[in-house]
Each structure stands twice: as C-alpha cells, then as structure tokens.
Amino acid sequence: MSVCGAARCRGAVRSILQQNRAVCSHTSGSAVEGIREKLQAFSGGSVELQKQRDSGVALLTLNNPARMNAFSGSMMLELEQRVRELETWTEGKAVIVQGAAGTFCSGSDLNAVRAIANPHDGMKMCEFMQNTLTRLLRLPLISVALVEGRALGGGAELTTACDFRLMTSDGVIQFVHKHMGLVPGWGGAARLVRIVGSQNALKLLSGAKKVDPDFGKQMGLVDEVLHCSSGEGNALAHAEQWLSPFIKGPAPVIQAVKRVVVSGRELPLAEALQTERSVFGTVWGGPANLKALALKPKHK
Ligand SMILES: CCCC(=O)SCCNC(=O)CCNC(=O)[C@H](O)C(C)(C)COP(=O)(O)OP(=O)(O)OC[C@H]1O[C@@H](n2cnc3c(N)ncnc32)[C@H](O)[C@@H]1OP(=O)(O)O
C-alpha cells in the first residue's frame, strides 16, 4: 500500500474508533470499573479469537460448553477485548461468530444473573454489553453469526449484532426473555426491529417464539440455511463458502464497503453522505482502483 493510501486508511480507522469512543464515553469511569469488577468475579469459559491471515476471516468462538456457551461475567469482559483487537485488524475482511461444541449461546450465565439481580447492576451490565455489541456491529469487517444449535436470550441478541445470520438445518433462535420476566437489554430489541420490522419483532418478543430456519428466512432474520446439522463439524466450512463471494478482493475495499453500509444504516442522510465521501476518498486512486483501471475489466 502507498504511503498516501496507508495514511487515508489510518484516517478511516481513526474515525471508526472515534465513533466507538463516543458510544463508550457514557460508560467510562468508575461506574464501568465497578461493573467490570463484578463481572470478573463470575468466571468460567472463554471467548477465543483466531485471525486467519490467509483468508482475512477471523473466528470468534464462545467457549463454555458445560453451560451451552452461556456468557459468564469474565466472558463478557473477554468479548470486549476481542472486539477491541478486531477494531484495529487492518488486514481483516470478515468475522464469523460461533459457539463451541455445536451450539451457539444460551444467553447470560444464570448464576451470574442471580448474583447481580438488582436493577443498578443489571443496567450497568446491559450498558457494558450494549457498547460491546454496538462496536461488534460497527466493525469494518463483514460479520456473520453462525447459529448451530440454540441461540437463546442474550445469545439471540448477539446474532442481531452481526451483519448476517446463517443457520444449520436444526438451528433455533429464540428471544426467551419474556419467559424469564425480562426484555432484551443488550440492544437486541432495537436491532431486531431494524432487521425484521416492528410487527415481526413484537411477535418474536411477546411470543418468545422459536425461530427455526424456515421461519427465520421467511421473516428475514436468517440469511441462509446451511445444509448440514449442528455439531457435524462442517458448518464452519459451509459458512466460509457462503461468505467467500462477499470478501473477494482487497481488505481495504471490503472494509470501505462495510463502512459506507454502517454509516448508511446509522446516520442521518446528510451525515451518511458526508461519511460516504470520506470513505470513497480512501479507495479512489488507491491500489485496487488503479489496478482495475489498468485492466479495463468488462462487467458482463
Ligand atoms: C439480557 C440477557 C438475558 C439472558 O440471556 S437470560 C438467560 C436466557 N437463557 C436461558 O434461560 C437458558 C436456560 N437453559 C435452557 O433452556 C437449557 O439449558 C438449554 C439451553 C435449552 C439446553 O437444554 P439441554 O440440552 O436439555 O441441556 P441442559 O439443560 O442439561 O444444559 C446443560 C448445562 O448447561 C447449563 N446451562 C444452560 N444454559 C445456561 C445458562 N444460560 N446459564 C447457566 N447455565 C446454563 C445447564 O444448567 C446444564 O448444566 P448442569 O448440567 O445442570 O450443570
């Protein structure tokens, strides 16, 4: 990459980080430190990140199989750390979020939930997770939730913090919150409304309806049903294959595509147009653009 291109790229990364700092600003300081300490006390499981440098696809794996990959407090903290690592992965193109051992995630760890079952701590935990999941959705990488087995409660919310949801033929997404006397709190309701519309979101939340692949596709929550079952071990290969046409090309171009979509999705039109111009400036006259101009391709 040219010195100029690298500088433009750094500028775009800086602007995403600034946007995310703005998201996080209201959770900074002692209040968040307080909830961090409490979350740290509920350990168990891990969130692993594997950056596949050849393909530019990262695998983000929730690993707590003894509890159906439920989020312990320490896993919430680890997720934030992993998202932070992805925010600065300039060579990356995509991230696949998956659960270990053939199931996605059964939400927050009910042991941790019981221990912080007071409104103050609950709201701080939600604020923390909302920030992390907002940053996940804003990553300049194409994100995919690979739903094998069950995505329940907070696990269902996590799927909505990805650009796409792929499901194995026996996968289920279920917003079980109502059965727990709750509503989504990790931003899942706000994102669900934007994905499937308010009518469908109301049905899914008020009915705590099980979304199987057919129902999910019909309402637009599921982008693709993978023709394999959970835990067979080949769902990831299917997901990578599904993803491949979308990540063909150089990382700076894929990241620019994601950035213009994020700004179009989140910002008022005038600001989105301004951001689009800035992002355009990062690729115009860049190496991929110059190479394409030299090759004079025909788009047949
Ligand atoms: C804002 C966030 C809101 C939330 O996320 S609230 C949490 C919502 N999630 C839930 O209520 C999940 C409750 N669990 C279940 O429904 C079932 O365990 C589930 C996931 C359908 C799996 O059923 P089965 O296949 O029959 O397996 P099982 O029940 O024997 O579970 C295996 C072991 O996993 C444990 N587990 C599952 N989900 C958990 C959770 N969220 N927190 C803590 N532990 C959890 C379960 O207790 C069991 O452990 P153990 O073998 O009894 O020691």
Side-chain angles (χ1 to χ4, degrees):
M1 192 187 291
S2 68
V3 173
C4 201
R8 280 185 304 209
C9 216
R10 274 197 301 277
V13 168
R14 219 178 4 253
S15 85
I16 291 272
L17 291 176
Q18 274 161 359
Q19 199 181 11
N20 284 333
R21 265 197 291 276
V23 172
C24 299
S25 60
H26 64 289
T27 56
S28 59
S30 58
V32 161
E33 290 320 309
I35 197 65
R36 274 182 204 279
E37 274 172 25
K38 286 192 180 167
L39 293 175
Q40 194 61 64
F42 295 97
S43 56
S46 59
V47 179
E48 282 147 28
L49 180 64
Q50 188 192 343
K51 289 179 189 159
Q52 304 182 128
R53 290 179 204 282
D54 289 352
S55 62
V57 178
L59 306 178
L60 188 66
T61 308
L62 308 177
N63 189 4
N64 193 6
R67 293 184 176 167
M68 310 296 281
N69 300 324
F71 267 99
S72 64
S74 59
M75 284 170 70
M76 293 181 197
L77 297 173
E78 271 185 49
L79 179 68
E80 188 210 25
Q81 182 54 40
R82 300 309 185 207
V83 169
R84 191 186 303 273
E85 287 172 48
L86 288 170
E87 281 169 346
T88 52
W89 189 30
T90 47
E91 299 84 23
K93 300 181 185 179
V95 54
I96 297 177
V97 181
Q98 61 178 0
T103 195
F104 189 73
C105 171
S106 65
S108 52
D109 184 329
L110 293 171
N111 303 303
V113 169
R114 278 181 208 106
I116 58 166
N118 65 77
H120 177 80
D121 285 345
M123 282 170 66
K124 287 292 163 205
M125 181 270 288
C126 276
E127 212 173 341
F128 182 84
M129 286 301 283
Q130 280 184 1
N131 275 288
T132 302
L133 296 185
T134 300
R135 289 165 64 186
L136 173 62
L137 188 57
R138 283 182 182 168
L139 284 174
L141 306 171
I142 296 176
S143 53
V144 170
L146 170 54
V147 181
E148 291 188 83
R150 291 186 176 98
L152 304 184
E157 295 194 59
L158 172 60
T159 71
T160 64
C162 294
D163 299 312
F164 298 108
R165 281 150 293 284
L166 310 183
M167 219 185 210
T168 53
S169 49
D170 55 353
V172 171
I173 298 176
Q174 190 180 8
F175 294 83
V176 297
H177 305 71
K178 194 187 80 167
H179 291 329
M180 303 298 295
L182 293 172
V183 293
W186 295 356
R191 290 187 298 267
L192 185 65
V193 167
R194 283 161 175 77
I195 296 167
V196 298
S198 60
Q199 298 294 105
N200 284 324
L202 192 54
K203 282 184 198 159
L204 292 189
L205 299 183
S206 62
K209 274 181 174 290
K210 273 189 186 169
V211 181
D212 66 15
D214 286 345
F215 186 33
K217 266 213 106 170
Q218 187 196 319
M219 71 163 53
L221 182 60
V222 172
D223 294 282
E224 191 69 38
V225 182
L226 305 176
H227 295 292
C228 56
S229 300
S230 307
E232 277 182 356
N234 56 1
L236 180 59
H238 280 82
E240 286 177 321
Q241 197 177 8
W242 181 87
L243 191 55
S244 60
F246 305 113
I247 58 169
K248 200 162 170 236
V253 178
I254 311 295
Q255 293 205 2
V257 169
K258 175 67 189 281
R259 285 194 176 99
V260 293
V261 171
V262 169
S263 68
R265 189 161 60 193
E266 294 197 10
L267 299 174
L269 184 61
E271 280 178 61
L273 293 176
Q274 195 180 9
T275 305
E276 192 171 309
R277 284 197 301 278
S278 311
V279 175
F280 182 81
T282 69
V283 287
W284 175 258
N289 181 223
L290 295 178
K291 192 173 163 194
L293 289 172
L295 288 173
K296 295 188 199 160
K298 289 192 192 297
H299 308 286
K300 284 184 176 170

